[in-house]
Amino acid sequence: MIRTRFAPSPTGYLHIGGARTALYAWAYARKHGGKFILRIEDTDLERSTPQSVQAILDGMAWLGLDYDEGPFYQTQRMQRYAEVIQKLLNDGHAYYCYCSKTELDRMREEQRRAGLKPRYDGRCRGLDKKPGAGETPVIRFKNPLEGKVVIDDLIKGRVVVSNEELDDLIIARQDGTPTYNFCVVVDDYDMQITHVIRGDDHLNNTPRQINILKALSASLPQYAHVPMILGQDGERLSKRHGAVSVMQYKEEGYLPGALLNYLARLGWAHGDAEIFSLEEFVTWFEITAVHKSAAKFDPEKLAWLNQERIKMMSEQQLSQLVHTFLPSGFNFSKPSLENVTKLLKERVHTVKELAEHARVFYETPSPNADLLKQYMNAQILEHLMALRKPLETLDWERATLHAALKQFVKERGLSFAQIAIPLRIVILGSTQSPSIDAVLELLGKAETLHRLDRFLADAA
C-alpha cells in the first residue's frame, strides 16, 4: 500500500509552499488508495512552539487535507531514536567522535587553505573507544567511503551522488539528542513510508538518508522533490510576495477550495483545466507530471480564481461565510443576506470584500466628504430634492425604479450617471455598486428614503 507523509517543523505557520507539498502528498495517497500520515518534526526545541503546532493543525483542517494517521510528534519518540542509534553503534555503522569545536574549526580552515571543500575528515572513525567519565562525544554515522547513491526521483529524474562527496553525518549531539536527518530516516522507516514527497530544498539530505536506511536494511521509499515556489521577481518566496500563513488567507476571505485549486496548478497542469474540484484533482494527479522547474506565485491569479469560485457558490453557502465577517448585531433579514450576497458576488474577489460591500445594507454609511466635494453641488442637490417625491409614490420594484430614474434624468436633461453617482454616494457612501435600481430595490423604500432624507436635512 502507498503511504505518504507531510512532516512540517512547527517553527512557524503553515505557509504556501508547505501547503502545496501537503496537497501533493495527500492527493497521491488518495488517488492510489493509500494512507496519508501527518508527522510533526518538533526536535528543534528552541524554535518549536505549541502555537506553531496548532497553526499547522488548523491550516490542514481548514484546507480539508485529512490525514489517516497522526499527528505523530518526534519529541515523543526519543526512546526509539536512542534504540536505533545504539543498533548502528553495535553494528559498526556509527561511532563516537571526540573532536572539539576548536579542533573541527582548525581542520576546516586547513581544508579551505588547501582549496578543499570543508568537511569532517573521519579522524575518529577508526577509534574503538567508549566515552569515559565526563566525556560527551557526538555520534556520527559511518558513511560508505566508496560507491554512489542513485536517486530515481519521480520529479527530478535520476540524481547520482558519489559517497566520496559525503562526510560522516552527526546523528546524535553531545547531549544525546538525535539530529533532524537521523530522526527523519527512523520515522520514514517505522511508518513504512513508500513515497517521500517534499520540497527540493531537502534533496541534498536524501543521499545521506538513503545510506542510513541501507545500514538499517530498510526498504527505500521513492522520492519526489517538488521545486520551490518563487515570487514574481524570481526571488525565493517571502512575506512580501504573499507567502503568509495559510490561515491568513482564511482571514482575508479566500476559499479553501480556491487556494487548493491554485496550489495544485502551481507547478502541475491537466490540459487547459484552470478551475476544478478537489475530487477532479485527485483523479487527474500524478506526481510524475509535476514540473521540474520552480513555479512563480501570482497573487492576482489567485484572486481571480477565488472570484470565480465565489461566483460558483450558492447564495446560501456564501451568505453563511459572509455572516462570519459581519457584526452579530445586524438584522440580516432586512434585507435578506442571501439576496445581498446574490447581488454583490459577481463584483468581488474575496468573501471579506463581499462582506464589506454588504455592510452598507445593514448600517447607514456616512457620505464620503471627498466624494461629496467631487460630485455634489447646489444643482445636484436640487435634483435629489426633486427626486424625493416621485420615489415616495413608486411601487418599489426594480423595473419601476429603473423607469422612474430614466424618466427623471430625461426630463431634466441629465445623463443617468449624473444622478446615479450622487445617489450612490448618499445612499451607500461610495460611487461603486451594482445597478442603482437593483440596490434601491433590495435596500427597500423605507430605508432608501430614510437615508435620502437624512442627507437632505443635513445639507439644508
Side-chain angles (χ1 to χ4, degrees):
M1 175 186 287
I2 284 176
R3 293 173 62 85
T4 67
R5 45 72 157 185
F6 177 52
S9 297
T11 55
Y13 46 73
L14 176 61
H15 55 77
I16 288 294
R20 185 185 62 165
T21 300
L23 171 62
Y24 286 175
W26 176 88
Y28 194 78
R30 293 289 173 264
K31 178 183 177 68
H32 296 284
K35 299 290 185 181
F36 175 61
I37 292 92
L38 177 62
R39 186 170 77 220
I40 306 296
E41 298 186 339
D42 56 348
T43 52
D44 188 342
L45 298 179
E46 291 184 2
R47 298 174 62 214
S48 297
T49 66
Q51 293 80 6
S52 294
V53 172
Q54 193 58 51
I56 291 168
L57 298 178
D58 290 344
M60 295 289 284
W62 180 64
L63 291 172
L65 299 180
D66 55 320
Y67 36 93
D68 302 294
E69 297 175 20
F72 297 108
Y73 297 87
Q74 287 184 331
T75 49
Q76 297 175 6
R77 289 173 46 78
M78 290 300 174
Q79 183 176 347
R80 171 59 177 159
Y81 301 139
E83 291 172 357
V84 178
I85 287 171
Q86 190 59 52
K87 174 177 171 55
L88 290 173
L89 285 168
N90 295 344
D91 294 347
H93 292 301
Y95 61 93
Y96 294 103
C97 174
Y98 297 85
C99 296
S100 67
K101 183 179 184 302
T102 301
E103 187 177 356
L104 292 173
D105 289 343
R106 187 185 306 118
M107 174 194 71
R108 294 189 185 102
E109 183 56 35
E110 291 172 354
Q111 290 170 335
R112 289 190 191 95
R113 284 201 299 266
L116 301 174
K117 178 181 176 181
R119 48 179 290 169
Y120 183 67
D121 62 5
R123 60 184 60 185
C124 290
R125 187 179 175 113
L127 291 180
D128 185 16
K129 177 180 180 256
K130 292 187 177 180
E135 290 185 307
T136 55
V138 300
I139 299 174
R140 292 182 182 270
F141 173 68
K142 191 178 290 186
N143 196 76
L145 298 175
E146 300 176 342
K148 297 177 180 179
V149 180
V150 178
I151 309 163
D152 286 314
D153 193 277
L154 295 172
I155 296 173
K156 299 286 187 182
R158 175 160 289 200
V159 179
V160 181
V161 178
S162 171
N163 279 319
E164 295 177 358
E165 294 293 315
L166 307 174
D167 58 4
D168 291 347
L169 177 75
I170 294 175
I171 58 175
R173 304 178 184 90
Q174 285 183 298
D175 62 1
T177 58
T179 58
Y180 167 80
N181 269 302
F182 176 74
C183 295
V184 169
V185 169
V186 177
D187 291 342
D188 286 343
Y189 174 33
D190 286 353
M191 297 173 192
Q192 299 178 311
I193 302 301
T194 63
H195 292 74
V196 174
I197 299 171
R198 59 187 178 188
D200 64 0
D201 53 328
H202 291 284
L203 183 57
N204 288 339
N205 296 326
T206 303
R208 302 175 184 277
Q209 294 174 7
I210 286 176
N211 281 337
I212 298 174
L213 284 167
K214 288 180 177 178
L216 295 172
S217 300
S219 299
L220 299 182
Q222 288 189 275
Y223 291 90
H225 289 91
V226 182
M228 70 173 62
I229 302 173
L230 305 177
Q232 286 292 91
D233 55 5
E235 297 295 323
R236 189 182 182 92
L237 196 63
S238 63
K239 287 184 179 179
R240 65 188 175 88
H241 298 109
V244 294
S245 164
V246 162
M247 295 307 288
Q248 188 168 331
Y249 282 99
K250 178 186 179 183
E251 294 166 10
E252 290 298 320
Y254 284 83
L255 303 173
L259 185 57
L260 288 174
N261 193 159
Y262 179 72
L263 292 178
R265 286 282 287 111
L266 203 57
W268 170 90
H270 179 76
D272 296 327
E274 288 280 2
I275 303 174
F276 42 82
S277 67
L278 201 53
E279 292 75 20
E280 287 174 317
F281 174 59
V282 169
T283 300
W284 296 337
F285 183 67
E286 280 297 347
I287 194 67
T288 52
V290 174
H291 303 163
K292 294 181 180 180
S293 56
K296 287 189 176 181
F297 183 77
D298 184 352
E300 291 184 3
K301 181 68 175 289
L302 172 58
W304 170 82
L305 191 55
N306 199 61
Q307 181 180 41
E308 295 302 308
R309 299 290 291 240
I310 285 174
K311 291 177 185 178
M312 294 164 59
M313 289 186 72
S314 71
E315 282 78 40
Q316 182 182 11
Q317 288 178 305
L318 190 54
S319 64
Q320 290 173 354
L321 287 177
V322 173
H323 192 285
T324 65
F325 285 89
L326 291 168
S328 58
F330 290 160
N331 180 359
F332 292 112
S333 62
K334 294 183 178 180
S336 158
L337 186 55
E338 283 189 29
N339 288 338
V340 173
T341 297
K342 182 178 181 180
L343 179 65
L344 299 175
K345 74 175 189 175
E346 299 286 328
R347 305 171 60 87
V348 300
H349 290 91
T350 69
V351 178
K352 184 178 181 180
E353 185 186 355
L354 201 163
E356 289 168 355
H357 289 309
R359 189 179 182 119
V360 298
F361 285 87
Y362 301 100
E363 65 177 5
T364 305
S366 299
N368 183 289
D370 292 334
L371 294 178
L372 288 177
K373 186 176 180 180
Q374 182 178 356
Y375 291 99
M376 196 69 66
N377 54 41
Q379 189 176 22
I380 295 296
L381 185 61
E382 190 275 325
H383 291 317
L384 290 176
M385 292 176 68
L387 180 62
R388 170 67 174 78
K389 188 173 182 179
L391 286 179
E392 187 172 11
T393 60
L394 283 179
D395 290 332
W396 209 257
E397 295 179 353
R398 181 175 180 179
T400 309
L401 285 162
H402 180 78
L405 290 171
K406 196 172 180 181
Q407 181 64 26
F408 182 82
V409 297
K410 181 180 179 181
E411 290 174 354
R412 296 207 157 219
L414 303 172
S415 70
F416 199 83
Q418 282 179 293
I419 198 65
I421 291 177
L423 199 53
R424 283 189 176 95
I425 296 170
V426 170
I427 303 299
L428 302 175
S430 71
T431 60
Q432 301 294 319
S433 80
S435 176
I436 188 64
D437 44 48
V439 170
L440 296 182
E441 179 190 43
L442 190 56
L443 191 60
K445 179 188 282 191
E447 182 63 21
T448 298
L449 295 180
H450 168 73
R451 294 185 184 190
L452 182 56
D453 288 343
R454 190 191 70 160
F455 173 76
L456 293 175
D458 290 343

